[in-house]
């Protein structure tokens, strides 16, 4: 036994701008839509929020420190790479993800049909059963930047627990 806490919780939040000429990728799933998220990587705001929740739980800074947007390695990068790396860092610290809960804030398109696919991708990256992934989507009732369709935001909470392995 060590002196680290048995459990750690972290939160993550991310926003990307919606622009024409980019694919819309959320939760590791490409969603057919007239616009996509702008960013250095694939700009998957949902995976970024979950990755930041894991880094937050570990007290390991944020996704921007681990994967700087000035680094050409991460241009157009599949954000599942970031999520898997956060899981690897957690494991190196003696933790595994216990469960994740996340919410997508988007006025359009409809997210519900894509939620099962997103959960599947996230569960694979986290090496967790799908039943340990909470994922919801809400509009902002036409208010603010999300409501005007200028961008998509995501928030997430991750609970980590010490793994049994030393
Ligand atoms: Mg981001």
């Amino acid at each position: 036994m060590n002196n680290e806490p048995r459990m750690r919780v972290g939160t993550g939040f991310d926003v990307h701008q919606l622009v024409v000429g980019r694919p819309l990728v959320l939760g590791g799933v490409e969603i057919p839509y007239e616009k996509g998220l702008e960013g250095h990587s694939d700009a998957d705001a949902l995976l970024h929020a979950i990755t930041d929740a894991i880094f937050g739980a570990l007290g390991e800074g944020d996704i921007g420190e681990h994967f700087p947007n000035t680094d050409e390695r991460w241009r157009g990068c599949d954000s599942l790479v970031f999520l898997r790396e956060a899981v690897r860092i957690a494991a190196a610290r003696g933790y595994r993800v216990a469960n994740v809960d996340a919410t997508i804030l988007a006025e359009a398109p409809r997210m519900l049909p894509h939620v099962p696919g997103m959960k599947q991708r996230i569960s694979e990256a986290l090496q967790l059963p799908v039943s340990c992934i909470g994922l919801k989507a809400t509009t902002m009732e036409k208010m603010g930047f999300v409501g005007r369709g200028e961008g998509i935001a995501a928030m997430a909470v991750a609970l980590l627990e010490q793994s049994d392995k030393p």
Side-chain angles (χ1 to χ4, degrees), residues 14-16 43-45 48 63:
D14 196 32
V15 179
H16 283 267
D44 190 326
H48 293 183
I63 193 168

Side-chain angles (χ1 to χ4, degrees), residues 127-151:
Q127 299 158 41
L128 273 184
V130 171
S131 62
C132 295
I133 314 295
L135 182 56
K136 298 89 65 196
T138 183
T139 71
M140 293 279 278
E141 301 286 345
K142 299 191 163 59
M143 294 182 288
F145 69 85
V146 169
R148 291 189 295 270
E150 295 168 9

